[in-house]
Amino acid sequence: MGNVDSQRSSGLAATSTIALVIDIVELVVLGALFVGAIPKFCKMFAEMGMGLPVVTQIVISVPGAGYAAIFLLLLVALVAKELLIRDRRITLTINTIAGLAGVVWLLVVVFALFLPMVTLMTNVR
């Protein structure tokens, strides 16, 4: 019975580690995207001189350094969690939730950035 528990624990640890690596890659990519892309959208919106939806205003109001700090803190928290929590079921759960939250965050930001253009295109017709 102990061998089965050991294999299960080893599988959980490996899966949790893979999820952590995916989360780290996701944070680095999202951080680079937000820090690099949002200023370009801000410039474009300023040139268009149009009113922006509230969600877009919120997304572009955070400076690039703010996004960088958020992503760095999340990265540190994810790695620190691995050192502090020994139960691999808990770390796997946290890693999974973090990955899903990153995807949702990306979708909200993409929606916020492209909403003004969609609105503009529908008003042109």
Side-chain angles (χ1 to χ4, degrees):
M1 187 74 172
N3 192 24
V4 172
D5 288 339
S6 175
Q7 288 175 341
R8 187 172 293 141
S9 177
S10 176
L12 279 172
T15 305
S16 182
T17 301
I18 291 168
L20 175 66
V21 169
I22 291 170
D23 288 348
I24 290 171
V25 169
E26 179 183 42
L27 280 173
V28 170
V29 169
L30 287 175
L33 178 67
F34 286 17
V35 170
I38 288 181
K40 292 181 186 342
F41 276 93
C42 290
K43 181 180 176 189
M44 181 180 65
F45 293 147
E47 289 172 358
M48 292 170 62
M50 60 184 286
L52 299 174
V54 175
V55 68
T56 305
Q57 292 175 19
I58 292 168
V59 167
I60 66 174
S61 69
V62 178
Y67 279 116
I70 290 168
F71 286 112
L72 185 60
L73 287 172
L74 290 172
L75 185 64
V76 168
L78 281 172
V79 173
K81 168 217 23 100
E82 292 293 319
L83 300 173
L84 297 173
I85 301 173
R86 293 289 170 215
D87 187 340
R88 292 299 136 202
R89 289 173 296 181
I90 294 172
T91 59
L92 177 57
T93 301
I94 294 170
N95 289 340
T96 302
I97 291 169
L100 292 173
V103 170
V104 170
W105 192 4
L106 175 63
L107 291 173
V108 167
V109 169
V110 167
F111 173 78
L113 292 176
F114 285 95
L115 181 61
M117 290 177 275
V118 171
T119 304
L120 180 65
M121 290 171 54
T122 56
N123 289 338
V124 169
R125 291 182 185 175

